[in-house]
């Protein structure tokens, strides 16, 4: 399948002077590229990273970059980071890019007892988004960008057992579920914002298949052979990080951006920016409402908008 392509590149990105951006997972890959480009265009960029060492190294390469420590798998860290961001920005935040993610790890549980992929990729980002709503309302043309994945098409979101307490754990299934949750949450947030007459925009984007360390990192605990094979596979079928970041930058900055974006080539694996296909499983509003309510219950954070 080929989607409609948009003639848009980094050259079309408007001046971002005076704007403040928060990007999670900005110490490498897509997040670092987005931070670099937005910094080059004048934005103040807060890089929200789990590792102080890697975060400081990334900040040193980003114009206008600042470090915020954030562990999305720890909800107390999410609350602390949100409070710090609100204080440092004076509740004037223009763009939040929920980019950080893990994929296909062995079964791990967070301090709250949640499966780590679902907790990191979805729960932590949803909590951060809700907590930063007051700051976004103080921004200019504010928007939240949720970074999903083509894996959202195959994800089977199980709202009865999202943390694999009863199901047999499968890393690929856990990743697909978390990415489908990102997409569903982003679309539901947009519906609620429009219903509330809010100025904030919720946009979703995915990078297709991009040559980042996300997949190889998931193979580190599985032996050298699988790690090497994952790097070879990455090099053969993926596009460069700069190309994969374009849908995210478009969603974050283009005045006309709304909905869901990804590469416009065959199967949305690579290519120029274009509207992405929303899988049928992500269009059911009753499921979106249940995910919204479950997320509030698991994070202990009041949804905004309610």
């Amino acid at each position: 399948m080929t989607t409609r392509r948009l003639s848009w590149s980094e050259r079309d990105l408007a001046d971002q002077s005076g704007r403040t951006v928060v990007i999670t997972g900005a110490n490498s890959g897509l997040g670092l590229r987005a931070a670099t480009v937005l910094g080059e265009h004048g934005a103040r960029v807060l890089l929200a990273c789990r590792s102080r060492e890697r975060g400081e190294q990334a900040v040193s390469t980003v114009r206008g970059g600042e470090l915020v420590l954030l562990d999305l798998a720890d909800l107390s860290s999410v609350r602390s980071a949100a409070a710090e961001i609100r204080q440092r920005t004076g509740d004037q935040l223009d763009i939040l890019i929920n980019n950080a993610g893990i994929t296909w790890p062995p079964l791990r549980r967070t301090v709250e007892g949640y499966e780590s992929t679902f907790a990191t990729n979805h729960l932590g980002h949803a909590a951060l988004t809700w907590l930063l709503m007051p700051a976004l309302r103080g921004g200019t043309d504010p928007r939240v960008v949720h970074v999903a994945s083509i894996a959202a098409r195959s994800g089977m979101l199980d709202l009865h057992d999202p943390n694999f307490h009863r199901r047999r754990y499968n890393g690929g299934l856990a990743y697909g579920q978390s990415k489908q949750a990102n997409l569903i949450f982003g679309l539901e947030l947009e519906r609620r914002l429009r219903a509330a007459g809010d100025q904030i925009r919720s946009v979703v984007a995915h990078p297709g298949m991009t040559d980042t360390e996300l997949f190889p990192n998931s193979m580190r605990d599985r032996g050298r052979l699988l790690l090497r094979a994952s790097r070879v596979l990455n090099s053969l079928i993926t596009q460069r990080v700069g190309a994969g970041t374009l849908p995210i930058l478009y969603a974050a900055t283009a005045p006309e951006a709304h909905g869901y974006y990804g590469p416009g080539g065959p199967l949305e694996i690579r290519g120029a920016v274009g509207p992405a296909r929303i899988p049928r499983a992500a269009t059911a509003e009753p499921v979106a409402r249940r995910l919204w309510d479950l997320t509030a219950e698991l994070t202990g954070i009041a949804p905004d908008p309610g």
Side-chain angles (χ1 to χ4, degrees), residues 102-110 113-118 161-172 174 218 221-222:
I102 57 174
T103 178
W104 288 26
L107 177 60
R108 298 192 183 100
R109 299 207 177 274
T110 68
Y114 304 141
E115 188 274 317
S116 61
T117 312
F118 187 68
D161 188 26
N163 291 297
F164 292 86
H165 289 301
R166 296 185 295 274
R167 295 184 284 167
R168 182 176 180 178
Y169 178 76
N170 177 283
S218 71
D221 296 331
R222 301 168 189 262

Side-chain angles (χ1 to χ4, degrees), residues 72 78 82 96-98 122-136 144-146 185 189 193 200 202 292 301 304:
L72 287 160
V78 175
L96 168 62
I97 301 178
N98 290 324
H122 170 62
L123 293 177
H125 278 133
L128 182 67
T129 299
W130 285 336
L131 291 169
L132 289 179
M133 281 292 173
L136 286 160
V144 184
V145 177
H146 315 264
F185 181 83
L189 177 59
L193 289 167
I200 303 170
S202 175
W292 185 271
I301 295 172
D304 184 355

Side-chain angles (χ1 to χ4, degrees), residues 167-241:
R167 295 184 284 167
R168 182 176 180 178
Y169 178 76
N170 177 283
L173 181 60
Y175 179 69
Q177 171 181 255
S178 72
K179 292 287 102 178
Q180 192 173 95
N182 291 155
L183 175 55
I184 293 172
F185 181 83
L187 297 174
E188 177 66 9
L189 177 59
E190 174 65 7
R191 280 192 289 268
R192 290 176 181 251
L193 289 167
R194 299 289 68 75
D198 208 300
Q199 65 170 334
I200 303 170
R201 215 181 310 184
S202 175
V203 191
V204 190
H206 78 80
M209 298 189 71
T210 301
D211 188 11
T212 70
E213 286 296 300
L214 186 62
F215 181 59
N217 279 343
S218 71
M219 296 291 116
R220 290 187 186 280
D221 296 331
R222 301 168 189 262
R224 291 184 179 180
L225 184 60
L226 281 175
L227 176 59
R228 189 174 304 154
S230 70
R231 293 189 186 280
V232 172
L233 183 63
N234 250 14
S235 66
L236 290 175
I237 65 176
T238 60
Q239 60 184 353
R240 293 183 179 277
V241 170

Side-chain angles (χ1 to χ4, degrees), residues 4-15:
R4 182 169 61 88
R5 302 182 187 188
L6 306 174
S7 179
W8 195 89
S9 70
E10 289 179 7
R11 294 188 298 274
D12 300 303
L13 203 156
D15 179 54

Side-chain angles (χ1 to χ4, degrees), residues 55-103:
E56 288 177 345
Q57 183 177 2
V59 164
S60 70
T61 69
V62 176
R63 178 183 174 186
E66 303 174 24
L67 176 63
V68 175
L69 293 178
L70 167 66
D71 183 352
L72 287 160
D74 182 345
L75 290 171
S76 65
S77 174
V78 175
R79 290 184 175 89
S80 295
E84 180 179 348
I85 290 168
R86 290 188 61 185
Q87 190 276 326
R88 285 166 63 175
T89 63
D91 267 351
Q92 294 183 330
L93 176 62
D94 303 295
I95 303 169
L96 168 62
I97 301 178
N98 290 324
N99 162 77
I102 57 174
T103 178

